[in-house]
Amino acid sequence: MLCQGTFQAGNVAIGDHNQCSKIFFNSVSIGYRKSFVSSCSVGARSGPVLAVATNETTKSKQMAYEPSLADRLRLGTMSEDGMSYKEKFIVRCYEVGINKTVTVETIANLLQEVGCNHAQSVGFSTDGFATTHSMRKLHLIWVTARMYIEIYKYPAWSDVVEIETWCQSEGRIGTRRDWILKDCATGEVIGRATSKWLMMNQDTRRLQKVTDEVRDELELYFPKELRLAFPEENNGSLKKIAKLEDPAEYSKLGMVPRRADLDMNQHVNNVTYIGWVLESIPQEIIDTHELETITIDYRRECQQDDVVDSLTSVEPIEDADALESHGANGSATAQKDVNKSFLHLLRLSSDGLEINRCRTEWRRKSARI
């Protein structure tokens, strides 16, 4: 297996990355984004086994999963214990933005891609919804409740990024998916992310508890012990998002979903909301800062005919102690430099109903060597 390494309880173990790079570049043809097999070849390989729980017994029946051509070409592989999945990506030129590095939308899309590929690699549905056998039988799908992304270093064009992901339970009504992003050349952790997912009935559009039957199918691929991308106490992923009050300081009104913004479920894709949020960030922040963290709470589905308003305000500093801890010393100029956190609201233009809330933190840009 390439790039041996895990992120557990805040401890990063980095394997032989020189060997990783050697094998990687001996295996990949320039111009293609492929996925990885542990043998570094496109030859035959035995597929993972999908265990499906039955109603009659707690035992599982095994169903062989035959890897497709796409499976064999991806630069992705399951961990030895089968509890996580890793995949490598070469940053393409059209994934790079004005800072000459990838955009946060690119990162969010890659996280989504790795999550879907993980689900497929263990034999779950290939329709893009990552549903189990029981979920399809009951017309159940996953919907995103919250996404939190923390970026320490943005990759540039032609950089190679390795993303590891895994799932585990999150209460009785959902699951969580975590990610670790590494620079494949150095093994440096360049980002982390976590998300919460709820189960919805596809016909009624109502949330539903995860049934024991579905949970039995899922837990076969959950880590045996709790593993968090953000094990630190009081980390940013736990912070609640305050409601942005009118009038907002900045706004972008009347945005309409494009056809390209719709997903396979005929609703606006999760990543599109991130782009809408950033549309109302003031230009002076875009010019001098880069996004460090983003938290987004999804509250309502958005469809093709909806018109959306994006509202943004500087997040108020809670108290004088917080201001002083940022080195502001109470001065107006220093306070302006400290205020790099923003609250956001996406709402329907027609009736003001809330689509989602968001919070972003920004750091000053540093020159890339």
Side-chain angles (χ1 to χ4, degrees):
M1 183 178 293
L2 297 186
C3 281
Q4 292 289 340
T6 58
F7 186 97
Q8 295 184 352
N11 182 29
V12 181
I14 299 174
D16 188 346
H17 295 281
N18 291 331
Q19 182 68 9
C20 166
S21 299
K22 179 179 179 182
I23 298 175
F24 178 79
F25 287 108
N26 285 341
S27 310
V28 179
S29 301
I30 300 301
Y32 293 88
R33 167 173 289 165
K34 301 176 180 177
S35 268
F36 200 68
V37 292
S38 51
S39 63
C40 300
S41 70
V42 189
R45 92 176 188 200
S46 59
V49 173
L50 169 63
V52 180
T54 64
N55 292 328
E56 297 78 18
T57 176
T58 56
K59 294 182 179 180
S60 299
K61 57 182 180 180
Q62 304 297 318
M63 297 172 58
Y65 171 69
E66 183 66 26
S68 66
L69 176 61
D71 291 327
R72 298 196 297 270
L73 291 178
R74 285 194 188 98
L75 293 168
T77 184
M78 293 291 293
S79 61
E80 291 182 0
D81 62 6
M83 299 295 107
S84 71
Y85 174 84
K86 294 181 181 180
E87 188 166 349
K88 296 179 180 64
F89 299 92
I90 304 172
V91 176
R92 295 179 171 182
C93 62
Y94 57 78
E95 296 171 325
V96 171
I98 60 175
N99 294 332
K100 300 182 181 180
T101 56
V102 301
T103 63
V104 67
E105 292 98 323
T106 293
I107 289 177
N109 275 318
L110 292 179
L111 298 181
Q112 189 167 266
E113 174 74 4
V114 173
C116 288
N117 291 345
H118 178 206
Q120 290 189 22
S121 70
V122 299
F124 291 163
S125 69
T126 59
D127 58 6
F129 298 127
T131 52
T132 68
H133 174 75
S134 297
M135 289 178 66
R136 294 191 296 278
K137 183 176 65 176
L138 298 172
H139 295 189
L140 300 175
I141 60 174
W142 294 112
V143 293
T144 315
R146 166 173 273 219
M147 174 71 76
Y148 176 77
I149 304 173
E150 200 167 277
I151 306 166
Y152 314 126
K153 176 185 176 183
Y154 281 88
W157 180 25
S158 296
D159 284 353
V160 181
V161 180
E162 180 187 73
I163 305 177
E164 181 183 10
T165 187
W166 64 95
C167 281
Q168 50 206 338
S169 294
E170 181 76 12
R172 289 294 301 170
I173 63 172
T175 62
R176 64 179 293 144
R177 177 175 288 278
D178 288 29
W179 296 267
I180 300 294
L181 297 85
K182 290 183 180 179
D183 183 330
C184 192
T186 65
E188 176 187 5
V189 174
I190 59 174
R192 294 183 286 171
T194 188
S195 59
K196 295 182 181 180
W197 298 76
L198 302 177
M199 193 168 287
M200 174 186 284
N201 186 291
Q202 194 169 13
D203 301 324
T204 66
R205 314 307 294 177
R206 292 182 179 275
L207 297 180
Q208 184 166 324
K209 289 184 179 180
V210 180
T211 66
D212 291 337
E213 186 178 11
V214 171
R215 192 173 296 278
D216 288 343
E217 292 174 314
L218 295 172
E219 287 185 346
L220 290 169
Y221 307 102
F222 288 171
K224 303 308 178 186
E225 297 182 1
L226 182 65
R227 182 187 178 196
L228 304 175
F230 297 94
E232 306 91 341
E233 293 185 10
N234 301 319
N235 64 80
S237 70
L238 305 176
K239 186 178 179 69
K240 291 184 177 180
I241 304 176
K243 184 177 180 180
L244 186 152
E245 300 294 341
D246 279 335
E249 296 177 54
Y250 311 96
S251 63
K252 180 76 171 182
L253 307 180
M255 296 184 297
V256 179
R258 304 172 304 158
R259 292 171 182 168
D261 294 330
L262 303 182
D263 60 20
M264 291 178 282
N265 202 28
Q266 300 301 310
H267 293 87
V268 172
N269 185 278
N270 296 337
V271 179
T272 299
Y273 296 111
I274 296 177
W276 285 348
V277 164
L278 299 182
E279 281 298 307
S280 56
I281 284 285
Q283 186 62 44
E284 58 266 26
I285 295 296
I286 300 296
D287 292 339
T288 59
H289 290 67
E290 65 182 7
L291 185 66
E292 183 173 20
T293 74
I294 181 168
T295 315
I296 185 165
D297 286 339
Y298 297 90
R299 295 172 176 265
R300 184 179 303 276
E301 293 179 306
C302 187
Q303 304 188 33
Q304 184 174 7
D305 296 332
D306 290 329
V307 180
V308 177
D309 295 338
S310 175
L311 309 178
T312 292
S313 288
V314 174
E315 182 178 35
I317 295 179
E318 294 180 356
D319 51 44
D321 291 338
L323 186 63
E324 185 175 352
S325 69
H326 283 83
N329 296 323
S331 70
T333 303
Q335 183 173 351
K336 183 178 180 181
D337 290 336
V338 169
N339 283 343
K340 61 175 182 177
S341 300
F342 294 86
L343 297 177
H344 310 270
L345 176 69
L346 291 182
R347 69 183 183 190
L348 295 177
S349 298
S350 58
D351 51 21
L353 290 177
E354 189 175 10
I355 300 172
N356 57 47
R357 295 183 189 183
C358 185
R359 180 178 182 271
T360 59
E361 294 181 85
W362 300 73
R363 60 172 173 254
R364 286 199 171 273
K365 293 179 182 178
S366 57
R368 184 179 175 89
I369 299 176

